[in-house]
Amino acid sequence: MPNPLSIAPMMDRTDRHYRYFMRQITRRTLLYTEMVTSAAIMHGDKEHLLGFSLEEKPLSLQVGGDNPADLAECARIAEGMGYDEINLNVGCPSSRVQSGNFGACLMAKPQQVADCVAAMIDATKIPVTVKHRIGVDDLDSYEDMVNFVKVVSQAGCQRFTVHARKAWLEGLSPKENRDVPPLRYEDVHRLKQDFPHLFIEINGGFKTLTQVEQHLKSVDAVMVGRAAYDNPYLFATVDKEFYTEAASFFNRREVVENMYDYIDKWAAKGLKLNKITRHMLQLFTGIPGSRAWKQHITENSCRFGVGSEVVREALAKVPG
């Protein structure tokens, strides 16, 4: 899937309601689910875990696991549900993920990752991609990363998303692993030079579209993480700038208004309003009225049975 921009899979953030909200801002950016374990996909409530609206596409399911047969079944399920891609997580350093023998610890086992990828590719027609770190613990040389990519690409993976920080499996929390290890963008740029036939995407620390544009000169794609959540309207112009779409984009007020029917549909099903509006709080970041917007939603969205009227009242507090 040639796609130059994506929003990173983020636990407790990139759920279906966040993704639907972001589709009011960008139609083309590739979106990801939160990471879902292979065991949960196979044995859990699939509609609850994997359900999505067609408006969220293009959409990739990120899965965590280390068993080729299980991951192959997950790939079949993903394809059957209409996902556009399935992505294997080889980057998460949390202790919970390590205890399941997947995530970043698999960087030390490139052949096992290759076996997983090969099984997934055999099971589905949708692209199978991998998100990984530049290294893990003491296996953090450029040569270590090259070996990992070489082995996994030989199994058929053509798209690699590289978080340009190594991961420490001991001594750092997942949050610290997103900030403490230094960024090594040049290693990812070099990877693209050494593997020109592969689709290489870079991830880590991007906050502006100027940065995105600059890195696209050296790699095929850029993945934005926390900035896409903390400042979602950052993506308002990307369809025009990076996908050359002629269509104009919605202003912030229109984005909110576009959410009313969606909110009321879910409210009618009994969903608490804050499950949706928590993702919308930062829409007016840097704009007069942002504080009043957030305060009104925060104070009222936990009430039972409320719907879009709370959001309409909050919007009325924003000038313009």
Side-chain angles (χ1 to χ4, degrees):
M1 286 181 61
N3 201 308
L5 193 61
S6 70
I7 294 177
M10 293 177 278
M11 294 302 293
D12 197 39
R13 293 189 175 187
T14 54
D15 64 17
R16 65 184 302 168
H17 305 304
Y18 170 77
R19 299 190 306 258
Y20 187 91
F21 165 61
M22 285 306 298
R23 280 292 175 241
Q24 313 314 309
I25 299 172
T26 170
R27 303 287 187 184
R28 298 291 301 278
T29 301
L30 178 63
L31 302 182
Y32 284 80
T33 67
E34 303 168 89
M35 184 191 71
V36 189
T37 67
S38 57
I41 292 172
M42 294 174 65
H43 307 297
D45 183 336
K46 292 178 179 55
E47 179 57 32
H48 175 71
L49 291 168
L50 305 179
F52 65 90
S53 306
L54 289 176
E55 291 87 347
E56 296 167 42
K57 292 162 69 70
L59 180 61
S60 176
L61 170 63
Q62 188 183 67
V63 60
D66 69 335
N67 181 284
D70 290 350
L71 289 167
E73 178 60 21
C74 291
R76 284 188 283 267
I77 291 169
E79 183 176 33
M81 293 191 71
Y83 281 90
D84 299 295
E85 173 190 295
I86 186 164
N87 175 267
L88 183 63
N89 183 313
V90 191
C92 181
S94 78
S95 56
R96 182 179 69 86
V97 166
Q98 289 180 56
S99 66
N101 193 40
F102 57 93
C105 65
L106 285 177
M107 284 209 70
K109 303 174 182 179
Q111 187 56 55
Q112 185 170 356
V113 175
D115 293 342
C116 291
V117 164
M120 295 164 78
I121 289 173
D122 286 345
T124 183
K125 293 183 174 63
I126 61 175
V128 175
T129 67
V130 172
K131 185 175 188 292
H132 62 94
R133 296 281 185 134
I134 57 172
V136 58
D137 292 339
D138 293 328
L139 293 172
D140 66 340
S141 70
Y142 177 73
E143 289 71 25
D144 289 324
M145 179 171 63
V146 164
N147 179 63
F148 175 86
V149 170
K150 182 178 181 180
V151 171
V152 176
S153 65
Q154 287 173 345
C157 183
Q158 295 296 301
R159 180 173 180 138
F160 292 81
T161 298
V162 190
H163 187 157
R165 286 186 175 94
K166 67 178 288 184
W168 284 107
L169 300 182
E170 300 287 343
L172 292 182
S173 69
K175 182 179 185 302
E176 290 170 329
N177 262 302
R178 292 195 299 265
D179 297 305
V180 174
L183 286 161
R184 287 161 44 185
Y185 292 142
E186 64 281 359
D187 282 5
V188 186
H189 296 170
R190 183 180 172 190
L191 188 70
K192 176 59 187 177
Q193 293 174 352
D194 290 344
F195 293 88
H197 61 290
L198 297 179
F199 193 100
I200 303 297
E201 180 175 42
I202 194 169
N203 169 231
F206 300 114
K207 296 180 180 179
T208 70
L209 296 185
T210 300
Q211 289 176 306
V212 170
E213 190 172 17
Q214 193 65 31
H215 280 269
L216 284 175
K217 297 175 182 177
S218 301
V219 293
D220 299 300
V222 175
M223 174 180 279
V224 180
R226 283 164 289 170
Y229 198 87
D230 297 338
N231 181 20
Y233 203 67
L234 172 69
F235 281 74
T237 61
V238 300
D239 290 357
K240 187 174 182 179
E241 293 183 29
F242 298 102
Y243 296 91
T244 63
E245 282 210 351
S248 60
F249 52 87
F250 294 121
N251 62 42
R252 287 178 173 87
R253 301 185 75 86
E254 291 170 332
V255 168
V256 175
E257 291 164 354
N258 289 344
M259 292 295 294
Y260 292 158
D261 288 345
Y262 181 84
I263 287 169
D264 287 334
K265 180 189 80 171
W266 280 96
K269 295 180 180 180
L271 186 75
K272 248 186 180 179
L273 178 61
N274 68 340
K275 296 293 186 181
I276 299 174
T277 54
R278 69 190 184 97
H279 301 306
M280 301 171 62
L281 292 176
Q282 305 302 325
L283 178 60
F284 293 95
T285 293
I287 300 296
S290 177
R291 183 176 179 181
W293 157 264
K294 289 189 285 189
Q295 183 175 356
H296 186 82
I297 289 179
T298 301
E299 291 176 353
N300 294 281
S301 61
C302 292
R303 291 166 26 217
F304 178 77
V306 297
S308 66
E309 67 275 8
V310 169
V311 182
R312 295 171 193 266
E313 292 162 1
L315 185 60
K317 298 178 180 293
V318 180

